[in-house]
Amino acid sequence: MRDLYRQRAIEMLEGKSTPDHVHMCLIIPLKYSIAFTIGLLKGKSAVRIHRYMHRKRQLSAKSFCSRRYCVSTLGLNEETIRVYIRQQEESEKQQLELDFE
């Protein structure tokens, strides 16, 4: 993915992945739309995951890439977003440990 970012002059300020989703804070050149950029990143990563899973012989009929995504522009609250991204893994662990009995 870093090579793809370099090729398109996309700068990743923060990034965190979990088993089922990814959070990223990116600077995208104005010549690219957000939809184009997200489509490119999701498409390229899906191909890479598919190739990896095929080599490991772990392919299934399941789809591993959702068509949905959430995007927000940021300005004054950039640091808040970056901290949120950094803390995602710990936050999700805490949510899984909640006892609802």
Side-chain angles (χ1 to χ4, degrees):
M1 294 304 288
R2 292 175 203 264
D3 289 337
L4 182 61
Y5 294 154
R6 251 183 262 117
Q7 291 171 6
R8 302 292 179 157
I10 297 169
E11 186 178 348
M12 183 164 66
L13 301 177
E14 292 289 335
K16 191 73 170 176
S17 64
T18 63
D20 62 349
H21 64 279
V22 176
H23 292 272
M24 294 184 292
C25 183
L26 305 172
I27 296 176
I28 301 169
L30 292 175
K31 64 183 177 179
Y32 300 125
S33 72
I34 292 171
F36 170 82
T37 303
I38 299 302
L40 178 73
L41 297 176
K42 288 179 71 161
K44 295 291 186 178
S45 62
V47 168
R48 185 177 172 101
I49 291 168
H50 186 270
R51 286 182 183 157
Y52 174 81
M53 298 296 279
H54 184 69
R55 278 196 305 266
K56 296 285 187 178
R57 306 224 187 275
Q58 296 176 350
L59 284 177
S60 69
K62 287 180 154 183
S63 174
F64 50 81
C65 191
S66 172
R67 291 183 180 161
R68 294 173 280 164
Y69 61 90
C70 177
V71 173
S72 178
T73 59
L74 52 103
L76 297 176
N77 61 351
E78 177 182 338
E79 187 56 33
T80 303
I81 299 297
R82 293 176 75 165
V83 168
Y84 170 81
I85 291 171
R86 286 183 213 129
Q87 296 174 345
Q88 275 306 290
E89 188 173 16
E90 187 60 35
S91 174
E92 288 182 12
K93 282 181 188 176
Q94 291 173 355
Q95 289 176 4
L96 290 173
E97 293 172 358
L98 292 176
D99 185 11
F100 290 104
E101 292 182 37

